Amino acid sequence: CIVLGPLKSAFEYTLLPGSQILVVNFKGDAFYRFFGKAFLSQHLPINPDEVISENCFSYLWHQLNGMTSVSDRVNCILDFCRPYLKSQHSTAALLANFKDSTRNPVKTIAEETGQTERNVQLTQKKHFGYSSKELSRYQRFVKAIELIQHVLLSSKKVDWFEIIAECGYYDQSQLIRDFKHFINLSPRNFVRFQHDICRASGE
């Protein structure tokens, strides 16, 4: 059992033959609410028992190891987490539930709550592990992925300049940097990878 957080770019790992992996994603500020901090390690995974004073993760691992059903394991993890989750910070709750894509969340929440923008930024970094700028970059990348997949489903050729304009990229090099950063693939290799998956599933 290891903990990595928060992940901001692609990384490689290897599983031994016969190994199993169950990945738990902490949504929003749940990582902070569970561990009391959003950053555990900048480079290396750590043993979660070193973060929480109780030797609880070792016990959880033994419980999960005795289960074969994924749904049973998920329910076990959810039940395990509930007693440890702290109440959500009021500003963090506003940030997590902010849905207006036409407005700056930090500026809007600062105005509504009478805080400085810097204070809201620090709260976001502390509770979520990333800044609003980093979040915007990720959301822009996700939008690009969705547009590309939509084009591929229609069996059309991807118009990269249209993707760049639609998602708000400055140029093609910025789009390439985001693909390399988040999934360690170039845009064209991503498209090739998607074609290979579709071809394999159709055989």
Side-chain angles (χ1 to χ4, degrees), residues 49 55-65 76 80 84:
D49 283 331
N55 190 26
C56 54
F57 278 93
S58 296
Y59 173 71
L60 174 63
W61 183 87
H62 285 291
Q63 280 189 306
L64 296 175
N65 201 39
C76 179
F80 168 83
Y84 293 94

Side-chain angles (χ1 to χ4, degrees), residues 31-203:
F31 195 95
Y32 176 88
R33 291 168 61 198
F34 192 93
F35 290 103
K37 57 185 75 175
F39 285 98
L40 293 182
S41 174
Q42 293 288 350
H43 305 290
L44 299 174
I46 65 172
N47 186 327
D49 283 331
E50 297 175 6
V51 185
I52 292 182
S53 57
E54 302 175 43
N55 190 26
C56 54
F57 278 93
S58 296
Y59 173 71
L60 174 63
W61 183 87
H62 285 291
Q63 280 189 306
L64 296 175
N65 201 39
M67 301 177 183
T68 56
S69 167
V70 174
S71 60
D72 287 345
R73 288 178 172 178
V74 170
N75 289 330
C76 179
I77 291 172
L78 291 174
D79 290 338
F80 168 83
C81 289
R82 287 189 182 96
Y84 293 94
L85 283 177
K86 301 175 181 67
S87 298
Q88 192 172 39
H89 187 276
S90 58
T91 301
L94 292 173
L95 287 164
N97 295 307
F98 194 88
K99 305 299 182 186
D100 190 347
S101 60
T102 63
R103 303 165 70 193
N104 183 313
V106 171
K107 185 176 182 178
T108 302
I109 291 171
E111 292 174 350
E112 292 177 350
T113 59
Q115 301 181 67
T116 64
E117 291 184 31
R118 180 59 178 164
N119 190 55
V120 177
Q121 289 172 343
L122 290 174
T123 299
Q124 180 168 23
K125 192 75 173 179
K126 177 181 178 182
H127 287 257
F128 294 85
Y130 51 79
S131 65
S132 57
K133 184 178 180 180
E134 290 171 320
L135 177 60
S136 296
R137 181 186 183 187
Y138 174 71
Q139 291 173 334
R140 180 181 62 187
F141 171 73
V142 170
K143 182 178 180 180
I145 289 288
E146 291 174 346
L147 288 175
I148 292 169
Q149 290 179 327
H150 179 73
V151 172
L152 294 178
L153 285 173
S154 63
S155 300
K156 297 179 181 178
K157 186 177 180 180
V158 177
D159 185 335
W160 295 110
F161 292 104
E162 183 178 333
I163 299 295
I164 290 168
E166 186 71 23
C167 298
Y169 283 100
Y170 293 119
D171 51 30
Q172 193 168 359
S173 63
Q174 190 182 33
L175 175 69
I176 293 172
R177 281 197 300 272
D178 272 9
F179 267 81
K180 288 284 189 179
H181 176 77
F182 287 112
I183 59 175
N184 201 26
L185 288 172
S186 69
R188 295 189 186 280
N189 282 340
F190 172 76
V191 170
R192 192 175 296 115
F193 179 66
Q194 294 295 304
H195 281 309
D196 290 342
I197 291 176
C198 293
R199 191 179 302 115
S201 62
E203 293 177 353

Side-chain angles (χ1 to χ4, degrees), residues 1-5 7 11 13-15 21-24 26 31 35 40 44-49 51 57-58 61:
C1 184
I2 61 172
V3 174
L4 292 166
L7 296 179
F11 69 97
Y13 62 91
T14 302
L15 291 177
I21 183 170
L22 179 62
V23 179
V24 178
F26 289 85
F31 195 95
F35 290 103
L40 293 182
L44 299 174
I46 65 172
N47 186 327
D49 283 331
V51 185
F57 278 93
S58 296
W61 183 87

